[in-house]
Amino acid sequence: MNGSILTSNAYLRSDGRKGIRNIVSVVYLVECAHHVAREIQLPFREQGVHLLGFSGCYPNEYSFRMMRSLCTHPNVGAVLLVSLGCEGFNRRGLLEAIRETGREAELLVIQNEGGTRSTIQAGREQLAHMLQALEQTPRSAMTIDELIVGTVCGGSDGTSGITANPAIGRAFDQLVSENACCIFEETGELIGCEHIMVSRAATPELGDILNASVAKAARYYATLGHGSFAPGNADGGLTTQEEKSMGAYSKSGSSPISGLIKPGDVPRTGGLYLLDVVPDGEVRFGFPNINDNAEIAELIACGSHVILFATGRGSVVGSAISPVIKVCANPETFRNLPEDMDVNAGRILEGRAGLDEVGDEIHSLITRVANGQPTASESLGHQEFVLGYKSFEPIGPTCHPTYQ
Amino acid sequence: MLSAIRLFPTDNVMVLTRSLEAGETIELGDIRRTLQNPIGLGHKIAACAISTGEKILKYGAPIGSATAPIEPGEHIHLHNMKSDYLPTFTLDEGREFHHTA
């Protein structure tokens, strides 16, 4: 802890990490337990109880690692796992991993609890108890160099790369200069700008790794025959993947790139990190991320306390676990969906603000959100969550050269 | 005043900072071009004449190649440029298109 105070009211976890929210996660471990988990959560939805889960019945190392990272995220105070009973997810392993961090965690197995109705009843009793216990969570000062911020763009259009994305880049530059940790992602949306990006790597070896991660994404998407590009991107004036990439890339700002991480890796030092979201090995399991929320979940699994979401067409999503700040690139969209947006970066196009000014606005909003102010999507009850199948090789020391 | 910005000095495209209606005129130096169709905010227009196969430059970087000769002030989109990497997928009035890379 060394830096200016972000908040004096962070939630101190027994593993030493600090959160800016104190939520309870209800987690279904297979789609067959989804309804029961949702019914357990429903009466507590306004009280900081979030629903997340994994649909698949087959076990997968990546999904387990993601779920462990998410359930032990510093914004999470307690966890209730809901299992059907016969699925492949390692529920005991997850339960123990959560308890090892000192968090309260409970497991309900529907097939052992007497079915739907009795499991819902038992789960609601557990939640009431957990919420009461969470009121005693110790509070602590948290400095800006303990903060992790992730950024994503979704529903991009021709304005995203001119206003919201570079304004987030300015906020990132300021945060990195304060030794906070900033994460940008989606290597598939960096296709075409890898050569520019590599020159910012902290070491030449890291540069090679960044280049290889984008080449991997290009191969992956070429095999699938479809890039990270939606029809709305074209309606909004974007014509090609590489044009979208150049705009997306500007979210990273201009700081040196300190390392490359994969989903679930929490950076150990401040700086700017690229999150490699495209699986290793041959193409398996389909699209790397089936929508924006799959990327947001990965940023949160890397420890992001808060997410900066740039949108041009107007995405309305939020997320389970961490607050999402929506930075609207397009002034027409901002007027169309004002309640869903936190920052109007579109006024840059109308000559009513500069990039630095909007960057400062984003930075100060992060501070207010860290101090408890709800974001637009939090106020509207958004808690989207998606997790699928992937496979990754672990990162090596050259991926994180600034950490010895 | 033209409601478009050139993001980087070497770019051969400009980006519209407001939506333009059909019938509006784009002025680029001596060239005047009256729009046949509306063009939305954030879309690109040619800053100069561009020949077939030439790189389209935006942010100072290539974002694809021209697939037809393009006149100054003309709308640049899927009908006259393509990706150098991946095809672009669009939905147009319920019909699906895969634009080739």
Side-chain angles (χ1 to χ4, degrees):
Chain A
M1 197 166 108
N2 182 19
S4 57
I5 298 287
L6 176 71
T7 170
S8 49
N9 267 321
Y11 299 93
L12 180 62
R13 307 300 174 196
S14 45
D15 56 4
R17 295 168 75 188
K18 293 170 190 171
I20 61 168
R21 294 290 183 271
N22 199 26
I23 66 150
V24 178
S25 292
V26 177
V27 184
Y28 57 92
L29 299 178
V30 63
E31 183 60 25
C32 323
H34 191 160
H35 169 73
V36 170
R38 185 173 48 218
E39 287 298 310
I40 292 171
Q41 177 238 13
L42 196 58
F44 302 93
R45 214 175 55 167
E46 309 289 321
Q47 298 172 54
V49 177
H50 292 191
L51 179 67
L52 49 148
F54 179 66
S55 283
C57 186
Y58 305 101
N60 176 251
E61 202 178 322
Y62 155 84
S63 318
F64 181 84
R65 186 163 191 255
M66 279 287 293
M67 205 49 102
R68 186 184 58 200
S69 303
L70 292 163
C71 290
T72 59
H73 187 282
N75 287 350
V76 176
V79 182
L80 176 61
L81 303 178
V82 185
S83 160
L84 174 63
C86 45
E87 74 273 14
F89 203 100
N90 182 358
R91 54 181 178 266
R92 282 280 155 201
L94 180 61
L95 182 70
E96 283 162 26
I98 301 165
R99 284 179 173 166
E100 274 168 25
T101 65
R103 281 175 178 77
E104 183 174 5
E106 297 298 336
L107 168 67
L108 291 174
V109 180
I110 298 168
Q111 289 166 349
N112 300 344
E113 293 289 331
T116 298
R117 195 179 305 277
S118 52
T119 311
I120 293 169
Q121 180 59 33
R124 287 180 181 173
E125 285 166 16
Q126 297 274 17
L127 280 187
H129 162 76
M130 283 175 172
L131 285 169
Q132 202 174 13
L134 278 193
E135 287 172 16
Q136 309 303 318
T137 307
R139 309 297 278 262
S140 161
M142 176 175 173
T143 51
I144 202 143
D145 59 353
E146 297 178 296
L147 178 71
I148 304 179
V149 184
T151 190
V152 64
C153 49
S156 297
D157 68 12
T159 66
S160 301
I162 307 172
T163 61
N165 292 353
I168 287 173
R170 300 293 167 98
F172 260 30
D173 286 343
Q174 196 179 340
L175 289 163
V176 169
S177 75
E178 295 166 305
N179 211 26
C181 178
C182 294
I183 308 172
F184 70 112
E185 53 79 64
E186 185 43 312
T187 41
E189 291 172 1
L190 294 167
I191 292 168
C193 38
E194 61 273 19
H195 310 294
I196 308 165
M197 179 170 67
V198 160
S199 64
R200 291 167 57 197
T203 64
E205 293 76 20
L206 176 62
D208 293 342
I209 287 168
L210 297 178
N211 203 22
S213 74
V214 179
K216 177 179 71 169
R219 275 198 313 276
Y220 215 94
Y221 280 111
T223 305
L224 293 167
H226 197 303
S228 177
F229 200 99
N233 296 143
D235 295 340
L238 295 175
T239 313
T240 64
Q241 180 72 63
E242 53 267 46
E243 178 182 18
K244 183 177 173 184
S245 295
M246 282 302 296
Y249 173 64
S250 63
K251 295 197 302 300
S252 68
S254 58
S255 308
I257 299 170
S258 299
L260 175 135
I261 56 174
K262 293 182 181 179
D265 296 326
V266 179
R268 308 288 191 91
T269 59
L272 177 66
Y273 295 83
L274 173 63
L275 171 59
D276 180 4
V277 302
V278 175
D280 294 316
E282 78 271 28
V283 175
R284 276 187 280 190
F285 307 132
F287 287 101
N289 282 320
I290 58 170
N291 53 43
D292 295 327
N293 277 98
E295 299 173 30
I296 292 174
E298 291 183 329
L299 287 165
I300 295 172
C302 293
S304 297
H305 294 95
V306 60
I307 302 292
L308 303 176
F309 189 132
T311 184
R313 302 296 289 173
S315 173
V316 301
V317 304
S319 179
I321 300 176
S322 292
V324 174
I325 293 174
K326 297 249 270 309
V327 183
C328 186
N330 185 322
E332 294 176 356
T333 302
F334 188 85
R335 282 188 282 275
N336 188 28
L337 307 170
E339 219 190 336
D340 285 284
M341 300 298 152
D342 294 286
V343 176
N344 179 9
R347 65 192 203 274
I348 294 169
L349 274 188
E350 299 173 329
R352 296 192 288 119
L355 281 174
D356 287 329
E357 185 183 338
V358 177
D360 286 344
E361 185 183 329
I362 295 167
H363 187 279
S364 67
L365 183 55
I366 290 171
T367 304
R368 294 201 303 279
V369 169
N371 281 280
Q373 179 179 314
T375 65
S377 53
E378 282 185 296
S379 298
L380 291 163
H382 285 278
Q383 295 176 10
E384 287 83 351
F385 181 83
V386 175
L387 176 61
Y389 285 99
K390 283 190 185 184
S391 50
F392 281 101
E393 300 295 328
I395 61 168
T398 43
C399 291
H400 202 335
T402 53
Y403 176 67
Q404 299 301 330
Chain B
M1 197 188 86
L2 180 61
S3 300
I5 47 172
R6 198 193 297 242
L7 299 175
F8 198 79
T10 58
D11 287 357
N12 53 14
V13 299
M14 301 174 83
V15 181
L16 295 188
T17 58
R18 69 173 175 88
S19 298
L20 300 180
E21 303 298 329
E24 284 200 67
T25 304
I26 289 174
E27 288 185 40
L28 281 171
D30 301 338
I31 296 158
R32 289 172 63 87
R33 187 181 177 88
T34 303
L35 293 180
Q36 305 299 311
N37 297 300
I39 311 181
L41 165 71
H43 282 242
K44 300 175 287 300
I45 57 168
C48 55
I50 300 170
S51 23
T52 306
E54 204 176 322
K55 296 285 184 199
I56 306 295
L57 297 171
K58 183 183 171 187
Y59 304 103
I63 58 159
S65 303
T67 54
I70 303 171
E71 293 173 15
E74 193 179 338
H75 185 203
I76 298 188
H77 206 16
L78 295 154
H79 60 286
N80 54 13
M81 76 167 284
K82 67 177 180 68
S83 170
D84 296 330
Y85 285 81
L86 289 161
T88 301
F89 171 77
T90 61
L91 286 172
D92 187 14
E93 301 299 327
R95 288 184 301 150
E96 296 187 2
F97 280 107
H98 278 277
H99 301 269
T100 53

